[in-house]
Amino acid sequence: MERVLDLLQWPAMLLTVLAAWCIGSQRPRRRRIGFCCFIASNLMWTLWGWHVQAWALIVLQFCLCAMNLRGWKKNLQGEPS
């Protein structure tokens, strides 16, 4: 299990990069995918941070997750009904 947690940083990093790519899209659906990827990466980084006792990283992930949820909400408000 420890090895899995050690390796978790790599998919978390890839998911973060994918999320940033999707957020830059002009398509609301693709931006939603980006926000979902960001939130998933926040969870992964939090798990990894807990494993390595990186407390500042965990606090950062909670802050970034709140910002991602705000972005999700604003993205939904900007969509045509």
Side-chain angles (χ1 to χ4, degrees):
M1 182 65 171
E2 189 167 329
R3 179 79 171 140
V4 171
L5 289 172
D6 284 337
L7 294 174
L8 189 60
Q9 64 183 317
W10 295 105
M13 183 271 302
L14 291 173
L15 201 54
T16 301
V17 171
L18 175 65
W21 179 268
C22 291
I23 290 294
S25 177
Q26 292 184 5
R27 297 179 183 163
R29 183 177 185 276
R30 192 168 289 165
R31 286 194 305 266
R32 279 195 309 273
I33 292 169
F35 286 119
C36 289
C37 288
F38 264 136
I39 292 167
S41 76
N42 294 141
L43 293 171
M44 293 170 76
W45 281 118
T46 299
L47 287 172
W48 184 80
W50 189 273
H51 171 66
V52 297
Q53 298 179 346
W55 311 121
L57 177 68
I58 293 169
V59 172
L60 173 64
Q61 294 309 311
F62 277 99
C63 295
L64 292 174
C65 188
M67 292 170 60
N68 289 322
L69 291 171
R70 179 179 176 258
W72 172 275
K73 182 179 174 183
K74 289 178 79 88
N75 186 59
L76 289 178
Q77 291 173 349
E79 289 182 23
S81 297

mmCIF file of all heavy atoms in Angstrom, residues 20-37:
data_model
loop_
_atom_site.group_PDB
_atom_site.id
_atom_site.type_symbol
_atom_site.label_atom_id
_atom_site.label_comp_id
_atom_site.label_asym_id
_atom_site.label_seq_id
_atom_site.Cartn_x
_atom_site.Cartn_y
_atom_site.Cartn_z
ATOM 1 N N ALA A 20 -5.926 21.453 -16.316
ATOM 2 C CA ALA A 20 -5.564 22.807 -16.753
ATOM 3 C C ALA A 20 -5.803 22.977 -18.256
ATOM 4 O O ALA A 20 -6.259 24.029 -18.713
ATOM 5 C CB ALA A 20 -4.105 23.086 -16.406
ATOM 6 N N TRP A 21 -5.524 21.934 -19.018
ATOM 7 C CA TRP A 21 -5.759 21.974 -20.462
ATOM 8 C C TRP A 21 -7.262 22.135 -20.750
ATOM 9 O O TRP A 21 -7.658 22.961 -21.570
ATOM 10 C CB TRP A 21 -5.237 20.690 -21.102
ATOM 11 C CG TRP A 21 -5.463 20.632 -22.583
ATOM 12 C CD1 TRP A 21 -6.528 20.092 -23.223
ATOM 13 C CD2 TRP A 21 -4.618 21.163 -23.599
ATOM 14 N NE1 TRP A 21 -6.407 20.231 -24.574
ATOM 15 C CE2 TRP A 21 -5.235 20.893 -24.836
ATOM 16 C CE3 TRP A 21 -3.406 21.827 -23.581
ATOM 17 C CZ2 TRP A 21 -4.657 21.274 -26.050
ATOM 18 C CZ3 TRP A 21 -2.829 22.193 -24.790
ATOM 19 C CH2 TRP A 21 -3.460 21.914 -25.994
ATOM 20 N N CYS A 22 -8.077 21.364 -20.070
ATOM 21 C CA CYS A 22 -9.530 21.398 -20.300
ATOM 22 C C CYS A 22 -10.151 22.722 -19.843
ATOM 23 O O CYS A 22 -11.081 23.225 -20.480
ATOM 24 C CB CYS A 22 -10.211 20.239 -19.585
ATOM 25 S SG CYS A 22 -9.839 18.624 -20.298
ATOM 26 N N ILE A 23 -9.666 23.283 -18.769
ATOM 27 C CA ILE A 23 -10.208 24.541 -18.246
ATOM 28 C C ILE A 23 -10.040 25.667 -19.262
ATOM 29 O O ILE A 23 -10.852 26.578 -19.329
ATOM 30 C CB ILE A 23 -9.516 24.916 -16.906
ATOM 31 C CG1 ILE A 23 -9.948 23.957 -15.813
ATOM 32 C CG2 ILE A 23 -9.795 26.347 -16.492
ATOM 33 C CD1 ILE A 23 -11.395 24.041 -15.430
ATOM 34 N N GLY A 24 -8.996 25.586 -20.069
ATOM 35 C CA GLY A 24 -8.738 26.625 -21.065
ATOM 36 C C GLY A 24 -9.657 26.564 -22.283
ATOM 37 O O GLY A 24 -9.572 27.427 -23.152
ATOM 38 N N SER A 25 -10.533 25.598 -22.333
ATOM 39 C CA SER A 25 -11.423 25.432 -23.476
ATOM 40 C C SER A 25 -12.533 26.475 -23.470
ATOM 41 O O SER A 25 -12.936 26.973 -22.425
ATOM 42 C CB SER A 25 -12.049 24.032 -23.448
ATOM 43 O OG SER A 25 -12.967 23.884 -24.511
ATOM 44 N N GLN A 26 -13.050 26.766 -24.652
ATOM 45 C CA GLN A 26 -14.204 27.656 -24.764
ATOM 46 C C GLN A 26 -15.514 26.887 -24.634
ATOM 47 O O GLN A 26 -16.569 27.490 -24.537
ATOM 48 C CB GLN A 26 -14.162 28.412 -26.092
ATOM 49 C CG GLN A 26 -13.016 29.391 -26.152
ATOM 50 C CD GLN A 26 -13.035 30.211 -27.423
ATOM 51 O OE1 GLN A 26 -13.954 30.121 -28.231
ATOM 52 N NE2 GLN A 26 -12.015 31.025 -27.612
ATOM 53 N N ARG A 27 -15.439 25.586 -24.614
ATOM 54 C CA ARG A 27 -16.629 24.744 -24.503
ATOM 55 C C ARG A 27 -16.954 24.492 -23.026
ATOM 56 O O ARG A 27 -16.113 23.955 -22.293
ATOM 57 C CB ARG A 27 -16.410 23.416 -25.205
ATOM 58 C CG ARG A 27 -16.187 23.573 -26.686
ATOM 59 C CD ARG A 27 -15.951 22.237 -27.314
ATOM 60 N NE ARG A 27 -15.676 22.397 -28.733
ATOM 61 C CZ ARG A 27 -15.123 21.476 -29.472
ATOM 62 N NH1 ARG A 27 -14.765 20.319 -28.934
ATOM 63 N NH2 ARG A 27 -14.907 21.693 -30.742
ATOM 64 N N PRO A 28 -18.169 24.839 -22.599
ATOM 65 C CA PRO A 28 -18.535 24.629 -21.189
ATOM 66 C C PRO A 28 -18.406 23.184 -20.742
ATOM 67 O O PRO A 28 -17.972 22.910 -19.619
ATOM 68 C CB PRO A 28 -19.992 25.097 -21.120
ATOM 69 C CG PRO A 28 -20.144 26.055 -22.252
ATOM 70 C CD PRO A 28 -19.227 25.549 -23.334
ATOM 71 N N ARG A 29 -18.764 22.237 -21.600
ATOM 72 C CA ARG A 29 -18.675 20.815 -21.225
ATOM 73 C C ARG A 29 -17.227 20.422 -20.943
ATOM 74 O O ARG A 29 -16.931 19.736 -19.969
ATOM 75 C CB ARG A 29 -19.257 19.935 -22.318
ATOM 76 C CG ARG A 29 -19.244 18.465 -21.945
ATOM 77 C CD ARG A 29 -19.907 17.599 -23.029
ATOM 78 N NE ARG A 29 -20.008 16.226 -22.622
ATOM 79 C CZ ARG A 29 -19.039 15.333 -22.744
ATOM 80 N NH1 ARG A 29 -17.877 15.697 -23.257
ATOM 81 N NH2 ARG A 29 -19.203 14.087 -22.351
ATOM 82 N N ARG A 30 -16.315 20.871 -21.780
ATOM 83 C CA ARG A 30 -14.903 20.542 -21.578
ATOM 84 C C ARG A 30 -14.369 21.209 -20.306
ATOM 85 O O ARG A 30 -13.561 20.633 -19.587
ATOM 86 C CB ARG A 30 -14.082 20.963 -22.793
ATOM 87 C CG ARG A 30 -12.687 20.383 -22.740
ATOM 88 C CD ARG A 30 -11.950 20.542 -24.031
ATOM 89 N NE ARG A 30 -12.529 19.656 -25.039
ATOM 90 C CZ ARG A 30 -12.286 19.769 -26.331
ATOM 91 N NH1 ARG A 30 -11.497 20.710 -26.786
ATOM 92 N NH2 ARG A 30 -12.848 18.941 -27.195
ATOM 93 N N ARG A 31 -14.846 22.434 -20.028
ATOM 94 C CA ARG A 31 -14.440 23.084 -18.775
ATOM 95 C C ARG A 31 -14.959 22.308 -17.569
ATOM 96 O O ARG A 31 -14.256 22.182 -16.563
ATOM 97 C CB ARG A 31 -14.926 24.530 -18.736
ATOM 98 C CG ARG A 31 -14.140 25.449 -19.654
ATOM 99 C CD ARG A 31 -14.389 26.903 -19.360
ATOM 100 N NE ARG A 31 -15.789 27.279 -19.386
ATOM 101 C CZ ARG A 31 -16.438 27.770 -20.438
ATOM 102 N NH1 ARG A 31 -15.802 27.939 -21.590
ATOM 103 N NH2 ARG A 31 -17.707 28.094 -20.351
ATOM 104 N N ARG A 32 -16.190 21.772 -17.649
ATOM 105 C CA ARG A 32 -16.721 20.949 -16.554
ATOM 106 C C ARG A 32 -15.837 19.721 -16.325
ATOM 107 O O ARG A 32 -15.549 19.356 -15.180
ATOM 108 C CB ARG A 32 -18.155 20.506 -16.850
ATOM 109 C CG ARG A 32 -19.195 21.554 -16.552
ATOM 110 C CD ARG A 32 -20.594 20.962 -16.508
ATOM 111 N NE ARG A 32 -20.955 20.159 -17.659
ATOM 112 C CZ ARG A 32 -21.489 20.621 -18.786
ATOM 113 N NH1 ARG A 32 -21.736 21.905 -18.909
ATOM 114 N NH2 ARG A 32 -21.787 19.809 -19.777
ATOM 115 N N ILE A 33 -15.414 19.107 -17.407
ATOM 116 C CA ILE A 33 -14.496 17.963 -17.293
ATOM 117 C C ILE A 33 -13.213 18.410 -16.592
ATOM 118 O O ILE A 33 -12.692 17.707 -15.721
ATOM 119 C CB ILE A 33 -14.204 17.352 -18.678
ATOM 120 C CG1 ILE A 33 -15.464 16.688 -19.239
ATOM 121 C CG2 ILE A 33 -13.032 16.374 -18.610
ATOM 122 C CD1 ILE A 33 -15.367 16.282 -20.692
ATOM 123 N N GLY A 34 -12.730 19.575 -16.959
ATOM 124 C CA GLY A 34 -11.527 20.113 -16.316
ATOM 125 C C GLY A 34 -11.708 20.315 -14.825
ATOM 126 O O GLY A 34 -10.824 19.968 -14.035
ATOM 127 N N PHE A 35 -12.855 20.869 -14.428
ATOM 128 C CA PHE A 35 -13.099 21.061 -12.997
ATOM 129 C C PHE A 35 -13.192 19.722 -12.269
ATOM 130 O O PHE A 35 -12.680 19.584 -11.166
ATOM 131 C CB PHE A 35 -14.359 21.896 -12.761
ATOM 132 C CG PHE A 35 -14.174 23.357 -13.061
ATOM 133 C CD1 PHE A 35 -14.934 23.984 -14.036
ATOM 134 C CD2 PHE A 35 -13.234 24.113 -12.376
ATOM 135 C CE1 PHE A 35 -14.752 25.332 -14.325
ATOM 136 C CE2 PHE A 35 -13.047 25.457 -12.656
ATOM 137 C CZ PHE A 35 -13.813 26.065 -13.638
ATOM 138 N N CYS A 36 -13.817 18.738 -12.894
ATOM 139 C CA CYS A 36 -13.886 17.396 -12.285
ATOM 140 C C CYS A 36 -12.487 16.808 -12.130
ATOM 141 O O CYS A 36 -12.167 16.215 -11.088
ATOM 142 C CB CYS A 36 -14.757 16.471 -13.125
ATOM 143 S SG CYS A 36 -16.510 16.866 -13.054
ATOM 144 N N CYS A 37 -11.655 16.977 -13.143
ATOM 145 C CA CYS A 37 -10.279 16.477 -13.067
ATOM 146 C C CYS A 37 -9.501 17.202 -11.972
ATOM 147 O O CYS A 37 -8.743 16.580 -11.220
ATOM 148 C CB CYS A 37 -9.568 16.651 -14.410
ATOM 149 S SG CYS A 37 -10.129 15.536 -15.696
#
